[in-house]
Amino acid sequence: MQEPDLHDLSDDADYAASLQQGSASMMMTRSDSGKSTSSSVPEGAEVVYLKDNVTIHPTQYASERISGRLKLIKQGSSLFMTWIPYKGQITNASLSERDRSLYTIRAVPFTDVRSIRRYTRTLGWQYIIVVLSSGLAFPSLYFYNGGVKEFLATIKQHVFIARSLEDANVFLVNDFQNPFQRTLSSLELPVSIASRPSASVSDGGEYSSYELQGRIDGSIHEDIPRPSQNHGRQKHKSHDPARDLTIQVLEKFSLVTKFARDTSSQLFRESNSNGYGAIERKSSSHSPPDIPHEASMDAKVAPGEGPVPSDPLEFDKMTLVWGKPRQPPLGSEEWEIFLDSEGRIIDSKALKKRIFYGGVEHSTCKEVWPLLLGYHAYDSTYAEREYLKSTKKSEYEIVKQQWQSISTEQAKRFTKFRERKGRIDKDVVRTDRTLSFYEGDDNANVNILRDILLTYSFYNFDLGYCQGMSDLLSPILFVMEDESEAFWCFVALMARLGPNFNRDQNGMHSQLFALSKLVELLDSPLHNYFKQNDCLNYFFCFRWVLIQFKREFEYKKTMRLWEVLWTHYLSEHLHLYVCVAILKRYRNKIMGEHMDFDTLLKFTNELSGHIDLDSILRDAEALCICAGENGAACIPPGTPPSLPIENENALLYTQEEDEVL
Amino acid sequence: MDMSRRALLKVIVLGDIGVGKTSLMNQYVYKKFSQQYKSTIGADFVTKELQIDDKLVTLQIWDTAGQERFQSLGSAFYRGADCCVLVYDVNIQKSFETLNNWHEEFVKQAADPADPGAFPFILFGNKIDVDGGSSRVVSEKKAREWCASRGDIPYFETSAKEGYNVHEAFLCVAKMALEGEHEHEQEHEQEHDIYFQGISETVSEVEQRGGCAC
């Protein structure tokens, strides 16, 4: 077996010095260069578990996977976990030192761990996701050589660990109390994960010095924090990977924005050619790009408000270049062009691209949505789709029969059924009732909504019904106008969004965490503002993410947005970039008015109905393109709405035999 | 009148799905009732300014999702609460039974662990208007017994639809919250002079129709 060089020890030591995790973790990561791996463990500490070839998948590309060694270390009564990537792996030639360092897990004490979710499968690798009590999660750790069971069993020997009653694959660590306290603590995100000097927004509203410098200098590049600048860098003797990554990205952006500025200036000079729709957007609220930098920055500060740290991306200019103008929706005639004579989609990528930029006309949705959702295959023929429709109809009826056959007498002894039905009854009568399709007393469509949801709660009994599902189903039934077809489209959608409704809220937490990383990448002053104001849990975006902005836009606009999201054209997680785009639109208001968490929540809730979809989509597209792989790296594999890795979604909600506990 | 300080009182409304949490708040703050409220996703709050004795207070009333699955999220919003309103539907037994759960969970995570009994709770039995009371399954006696067993929690029977007792109930909430309120007092700010003009609500306007012992 190969014995790779395991430790970048100097890095560990520096990192430990920058943390304030107490003496125990300091000792664990103390520099011991030159000694063998085992002797790098401090006195009194013992490696109780060691597994090689535990790997993370920062992106979908196999070449970018990072393998390392996972260890459990016992010191006194404390248990720590480390995962150190191998150095100089041939397969990871492209892996930079920075990436390696970024993902390293350095002596995390189990007192900081909230839960471990295990994913085991008959095919493919087992992996785990470790969630900290702060709500942060490490990337999925894939056990290429197996060993998840032993890993958990070892932990069990040293730490109180309990299997979640709600999900047999979730193991709760230190769960002495109750879910309340765990979540309460998630409000206090640790400083260690993003420990880098902040562009502070002090109450006096002063620019931090590097921003001031940028203003005086007038150069875009100077707005960007550089490693050479001297803000608390003394503490970080080597480098802080998170910071360096951001810097690199921002530098990339600064080139982009320079390009954007040149391009848009050119557009202004060529008065008539408005290929990017630049002029109307420019003239609305922002100064023309030809005006010197200082002036355009001042224009962003509303009178009476304190100055706000400027957007490192010069976002408004950037979107002009990278976000393409929206197109009219795909109509039935154009739709035909995408089909061969038997109804197969000739070029599904082209179709997705077309829909990404324009959506679908209502009359064509019924044919397109089942494809976008994955209920029908792109290479299926008309005949195959018709056949599937009929077989699926009988399958639906069978599942529906399961609850329809429950008699009143039986229901009296079936609490779970009564409760589920009660919840669904309560929710369907308050779902989109102002829409004519669902309007009025004894509306038949409301009853169908109820029947589908109840049937789904039997089809996926473990997940059941959860508030928000009726919001997701409503437009689908409205479009499909058929109970069985709507059901199967909903099933396909829930294959992706089901984790949003998991009892442990892991699906939501992982998305909100990814969102926080994206904001950190794409607007670090805003990130710092959220950090200083205890807003890093991003719960003010909870509704946006849970039901895909259903409550934020009017009905037809929501459907347009969903079509765009469902193409997965640029990213499966475009919805997170939409969140970033909205937040960036209002960043100056949020920071200028010093919104605290409560005010911010109220503010985002009240944005409902006031967001311009087309421009936000364009912004989101620009952000997604510019963030590129670094953006993708903020989003761990398996984050909803990605399909579960290896596509074994059948196992997602199943409760397995108790193996460990 | 003492205008030099104003209090921000944070109130959390808890209870099962569809017992009328949002409706009660909207009736109280906007004097409106709609059959078509949407289910609450995540959390939201409304505020109302009122005057109690010589004190101006801002009541910040938090609405949360009613499904237990979101309880862990809701708790993130409970920080700094001054009072907790529990709501059940007098026509649904289950919504009464789960009060124990809501009460217990809230105490566990928000109340002072040294003296959990001291945290101010209040119970609303809502929807007493339905079918003229003939579909009612939880009697007032039963509800009051439950309140007594939890340390004499004040109890109000309400109808968000009819607006019955809603005002009185929330006034009691405000008074209870104010009594225990120490930490949220804020220095009076100039602009609030104008904001509070014309607010004529006083305690004397509504005298105890319910069970408020404040």
Side-chain angles (χ1 to χ4, degrees), chain A residues 406-567:
Chain A
I406 295 170
S407 67
T408 322
E409 274 304 303
Q410 194 187 350
K412 281 182 186 164
R413 300 181 297 271
F414 196 168
T415 312
K416 209 154 196 167
F417 172 68
R418 286 199 318 274
E419 283 176 16
R420 250 173 216 194
K421 187 166 180 306
R423 282 190 198 119
I424 293 168
D425 282 336
K426 290 268 185 206
D427 276 357
V428 292
V429 296
R430 44 184 182 165
T431 303
D432 300 319
R433 297 301 299 283
T434 50
L435 199 75
S436 63
F437 189 76
Y438 293 113
E439 200 174 41
D441 296 338
D442 299 321
N443 180 303
N445 293 323
V446 173
N447 293 335
I448 296 174
L449 215 51
R450 186 210 44 209
D451 287 0
I452 294 176
L453 289 169
L454 205 45
T455 307
Y456 182 77
S457 89
F458 273 71
Y459 176 80
N460 189 344
F461 201 87
D462 291 336
L463 187 62
Y465 173 75
C466 184
Q467 287 195 299
M469 288 184 182
S470 68
D471 277 286
L472 293 177
L473 174 60
S474 158
I476 292 177
L477 179 61
F478 175 73
V479 160
M480 299 309 295
E481 298 176 302
D482 176 274
E483 185 171 336
S484 163
E485 288 288 279
F487 174 82
W488 290 109
C489 284
F490 182 67
V491 166
L493 179 66
M494 292 305 289
R496 290 179 175 276
L497 296 184
N500 283 11
F501 303 100
N502 277 352
R503 287 179 173 78
D504 63 5
Q505 297 284 301
N506 259 0
M508 287 301 297
H509 280 298
S510 64
Q511 287 171 88
L512 294 177
F513 177 63
L515 173 58
S516 77
K517 300 310 281 179
L518 284 177
V519 172
E520 186 176 10
L521 180 75
L522 295 163
D523 193 341
S524 63
L526 185 63
H527 170 81
N528 289 329
Y529 178 83
F530 287 153
K531 189 165 147 189
Q532 284 159 13
N533 288 276
D534 261 347
C535 296
L536 278 190
N537 59 38
Y538 279 80
F539 284 165
F540 50 87
C541 298
F542 186 86
R543 189 173 76 191
W544 297 358
V545 174
L546 185 82
I547 49 173
Q548 304 271 287
F549 305 93
K550 168 71 162 37
R551 301 278 179 93
E552 318 314 320
F553 297 98
E554 53 134 328
Y555 207 70
K556 296 257 158 97
K557 292 276 184 193
T558 304
M559 298 199 291
R560 176 67 32 85
L561 169 62
W562 286 6
E563 289 153 5
V564 173
L565 296 179
W566 294 345
T567 61

Side-chain angles (χ1 to χ4, degrees), chain A residues 158-332:
Chain A
H158 301 282
V159 176
F160 181 80
I161 178 171
R163 193 175 276 239
S164 164
L165 294 174
E166 309 288 358
D167 184 334
N169 281 314
V170 173
F171 297 86
L172 304 168
V173 182
N174 303 310
D175 186 43
F176 302 114
Q177 304 291 327
N178 61 84
F180 275 120
Q181 270 156 343
R182 289 201 308 275
T183 306
L184 198 67
S185 66
S186 77
L187 283 166
E188 284 129 32
L189 291 171
V191 290
S192 60
I193 301 289
S195 61
R196 68 160 190 270
S198 61
S200 67
V201 193
S202 65
D203 281 341
E206 288 175 359
Y207 285 90
S208 64
S209 58
Y210 66 72
E211 279 155 350
L212 200 59
Q213 197 180 337
R215 281 167 61 84
I216 294 162
D217 190 279
S219 138
I220 322 171
H221 289 266
E222 288 303 315
D223 284 349
I224 292 150
R226 283 169 175 281
S228 61
Q229 281 171 324
N230 196 24
H231 292 276
R233 296 295 296 167
Q234 296 90 334
K235 278 189 286 183
H236 303 256
K237 276 179 212 144
S238 67
H239 68 276
D240 179 335
R243 177 187 161 87
D244 289 355
L245 176 66
T246 310
I247 289 165
Q248 197 219 26
V249 171
L250 292 182
E251 281 173 347
K252 178 179 159 196
F253 281 140
S254 73
L255 298 175
V256 170
T257 52
K258 187 170 184 312
F259 173 47
R261 187 204 303 246
D262 294 347
T263 310
S264 47
S265 304
Q266 205 172 6
L267 286 172
F268 268 80
R269 285 191 285 273
E270 296 162 8
S271 56
N272 285 330
S273 65
N274 187 10
Y276 288 100
I279 288 168
E280 74 225 307
R281 289 195 46 193
K282 270 289 144 190
S283 60
S284 60
S285 62
H286 302 289
S287 53
D290 307 83
I291 290 179
H293 186 53
E294 289 88 342
S296 72
M297 276 188 53
D298 289 343
K300 288 178 182 173
V301 180
E305 292 165 7
V308 165
S310 64
D311 187 337
L313 301 189
E314 289 200 71
F315 179 56
D316 297 307
K317 290 164 192 162
M318 182 185 86
T319 58
L320 295 177
V321 175
W322 295 97
K324 294 189 189 63
R326 310 293 307 164
Q327 293 170 13
L330 173 73
S332 56

Side-chain angles (χ1 to χ4, degrees), chain A residues 177-181 183-184 187-188 419 423 426-427 429-434 462-471 500-505 509 534 537 539 542-543 546-547 550-551 597-599 601-602 605, chain B residues 8 10 14 17-19 22 30 35-47 60 62 64-79 89 92 94 101-102 104-106 108-110 127:
Chain A
Q177 304 291 327
N178 61 84
F180 275 120
Q181 270 156 343
T183 306
L184 198 67
L187 283 166
E188 284 129 32
E419 283 176 16
R423 282 190 198 119
K426 290 268 185 206
D427 276 357
V429 296
R430 44 184 182 165
T431 303
D432 300 319
R433 297 301 299 283
T434 50
D462 291 336
L463 187 62
Y465 173 75
C466 184
Q467 287 195 299
M469 288 184 182
S470 68
D471 277 286
N500 283 11
F501 303 100
N502 277 352
R503 287 179 173 78
D504 63 5
Q505 297 284 301
H509 280 298
D534 261 347
N537 59 38
F539 284 165
F542 186 86
R543 189 173 76 191
L546 185 82
I547 49 173
K550 168 71 162 37
R551 301 278 179 93
F597 177 79
D598 292 357
T599 316
L601 176 82
K602 191 80 188 155
N605 280 346
Chain B
L8 176 69
K10 184 168 177 178
L14 298 178
I17 286 182
V19 294
T22 309
Y30 306 114
Q35 298 276 13
Q36 289 171 349
Y37 285 122
K38 292 169 183 288
S39 63
T40 304
I41 303 282
D44 201 358
F45 63 86
V46 292
T47 54
Q60 188 189 58
W62 283 74
T64 53
Q67 190 156 7
E68 305 92 277
R69 210 172 294 194
F70 294 122
Q71 266 184 26
S72 67
L73 172 87
S75 67
F77 303 105
Y78 301 171
R79 258 199 316 193
D89 178 344
I92 296 179
K94 168 83 177 146
N101 179 35
W102 290 109
E104 204 175 301
E105 292 295 346
F106 187 89
K108 267 189 204 164
Q109 77 83 32
K127 303 199 186 184

